[in-house]
């Protein structure tokens, strides 16, 4: 909920708006909340801010009895100075659990393997230790390549623990996970593919154009509107054909039809309610194919191996 807070999105996000987004998400049937120790302030300030905000939201707005319970995902960055595993990961996990004010996370991910001196096997064994500690119910990875995914899956299997998810950038402005074979590999192994930046940091919402580009450092899906506008135009057309769905809702539904788990941001109740409008219906196979033809493949960026 607070990825852009304190970075590219410096306005319109408050504790009150985030509380509204949280409550509206649950009301709309959306109960997956993704955060990370670095969100809401970055590596050099505000560490843990997003986790604290989410923890406060969960205390303030209790889910209704029988309603969807929050599923909380957070992430660990294996920075170069975090050399000693599993000690480093476990210390970070305990801090995340404390900030979120929960007994255990639902899923704990390695945020990216790019900056670490440790091996993929070492990180995988640390994830297994995390599950065995009882501080997380499941584990996953983020920004992993197919080869790294397969190695992690194999090492965890040796410890009797499944790999739950690989969280990667995936959208109509970054279709690389499907075209590279990573999506197929996830489905083969029974690993969920969680799609971050599913709306290309707002570029697929219909809010922006060549004359009104997004402000701030929004590096995901950052292509010229000469390439993006045809996608948005088709999203608008398909939305009308599905009873007035928005471009955002159609873009998210495309990911759902692909077997992905989109995790769009929401900084207020209205955005959270709009996100929930991607659920409960499906594009046809032909409509998915139309969008496939328009999708931009994209390239890997700093911090991404997959």
């Amino acid at each position: 909920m607070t990825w852009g807070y304190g970075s590219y999105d410096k306005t319109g996000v408050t504790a009150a708006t985030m509380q509204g987004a949280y409550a509206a998400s649950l009301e709309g049937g959306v109960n997956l909340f993704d955060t990370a120790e670095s969100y809401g302030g970055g590596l050099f300030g505000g560490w843990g801010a997003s986790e604290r905000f989410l923890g406060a939201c969960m205390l303030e707005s209790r889910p209704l009895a029988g309603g969807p319970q929050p599923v909380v995902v957070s992430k660990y960055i294996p920075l170069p100075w975090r050399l000693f595993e599993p000690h480093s990961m476990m210390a970070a996990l305990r801090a995340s659990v404390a900030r979120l004010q929960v007994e255990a996370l639902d899923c704990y991910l390695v945020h990216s393997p790019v900056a670490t001196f440790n091996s993929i096997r070492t990180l995988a064994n640390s994830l297994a230790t995390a599950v065995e500690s009882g501080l997380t119910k499941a584990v996953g990875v983020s920004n992993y390549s197919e080869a790294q995914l397969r190695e992690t899956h194999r090492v965890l299997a040796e410890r009797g623990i499944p790999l739950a998810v690989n969280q990667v950038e995936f959208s109509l402005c970054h279709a690389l996970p499907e075209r590279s074979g990573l999506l197929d590999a996830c489905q083969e192994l029974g690993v969920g593919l969680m799609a971050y930046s599913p709306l290309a940091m707002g570029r697929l919402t219909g809010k922006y154009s060549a004359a009104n580009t997004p402000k701030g450092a929004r590096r995901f899906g950052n292509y010229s509107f000469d390439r993006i506008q045809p996608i948005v135009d088709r999203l608008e057309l398909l939305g009308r054909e599905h009873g007035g769905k928005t471009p955002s809702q159609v873009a998210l539904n495309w990911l759902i039809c692909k077997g992905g788990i989109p995790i769009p941001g929401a900084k207020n109740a209205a955005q959270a309610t709009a996100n929930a409008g991607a659920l409960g219906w499906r594009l046809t196979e032909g409509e998915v194919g139309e969008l496939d033809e328009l999708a931009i493949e994209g390239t890997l960026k700093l911090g991404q191996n997959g």
Side-chain angles (χ1 to χ4, degrees):
M1 293 191 299
T2 54
W3 189 5
Y5 179 78
S7 57
Y8 70 83
D9 193 349
K10 300 180 184 298
T11 62
V13 182
T14 67
T17 65
M18 283 186 280
Q19 187 68 55
Y22 175 81
S25 293
L26 286 178
E27 185 176 343
V30 176
N31 65 331
L32 174 62
F33 297 95
D34 176 74
T35 185
E37 58 183 359
S38 63
Y39 290 173
L43 300 180
F44 305 107
W47 192 267
S50 176
E51 292 175 324
R52 292 188 187 94
F53 277 128
L54 180 54
C57 287
M58 290 190 292
L59 287 178
E60 180 70 20
S61 297
R62 299 288 185 180
L64 297 174
Q69 301 298 304
V71 174
V72 179
V73 178
S74 195
K75 295 183 281 297
Y76 163 74
I77 300 182
L79 295 164
W81 52 87
R82 285 175 155 172
L83 292 171
F84 305 106
E85 296 294 356
H87 172 79
S88 294
M89 184 182 290
M90 290 305 304
L93 175 56
R94 285 190 289 270
S96 288
V97 166
R99 287 189 291 261
L100 285 158
Q101 303 179 71
V102 295
E103 292 184 3
L105 300 182
D106 291 287
C107 196
Y108 195 48
L109 315 184
V110 172
H111 206 146
S112 170
V114 172
T116 184
F117 291 111
N118 284 306
S119 67
I120 295 298
R121 183 177 186 86
T122 295
L123 292 174
N125 275 310
S126 294
L127 287 172
T129 300
V131 173
E132 292 166 354
S133 76
L135 292 176
T136 185
K137 299 171 186 175
V139 287
V141 294
S142 181
N143 297 303
Y144 270 43
S145 67
E146 180 180 343
Q148 292 167 333
L149 175 85
R150 290 185 181 279
E151 183 176 358
T152 301
H153 183 272
R154 182 171 59 254
V155 174
L156 286 174
E158 292 170 0
R159 301 273 292 265
I161 295 169
L163 177 62
V165 67
N166 187 13
Q167 186 181 120
V168 296
E169 182 187 358
F170 189 20
S171 76
L172 284 162
C173 288
H174 188 84
L176 188 61
E178 180 176 25
R179 297 183 183 179
S180 69
L182 180 60
L183 177 61
D184 284 342
C186 286
Q187 292 173 341
E188 172 197 333
L189 297 173
V191 176
L193 190 144
M194 195 176 289
Y196 71 74
S197 197
L199 300 176
M201 307 194 93
R203 294 178 179 87
L204 295 172
T205 64
K207 177 180 178 180
Y208 300 107
S209 65
N212 177 35
T213 57
K215 304 299 186 288
R218 306 189 189 203
R219 68 190 185 107
F220 299 117
N222 188 12
Y223 296 96
S224 73
F225 270 87
D226 289 343
R227 301 183 69 184
I228 295 174
Q229 195 61 53
I231 302 173
V232 174
D233 290 344
R234 185 59 59 89
L235 292 173
E236 291 176 341
L237 175 61
L238 292 172
R240 289 194 295 270
E241 292 176 353
H242 282 271
K245 295 298 182 183
T246 67
S248 298
Q249 291 164 345
V250 178
L252 295 174
N253 195 269
W254 176 80
L255 285 166
I256 293 169
C257 290
K258 291 290 180 183
I261 307 165
I263 49 171
K267 64 182 181 182
N268 55 47
Q271 289 185 355
T273 299
N275 288 340
L279 302 175
W281 62 281
R282 290 182 73 86
L283 293 164
T284 68
E285 185 175 335
E287 290 166 340
V288 170
E290 291 175 24
L291 291 171
D292 288 348
E293 292 180 5
L294 292 170
I296 299 168
E297 180 170 312
T299 58
L300 295 177
K301 304 167 190 66
L302 181 66
Q304 298 176 332
N305 282 341

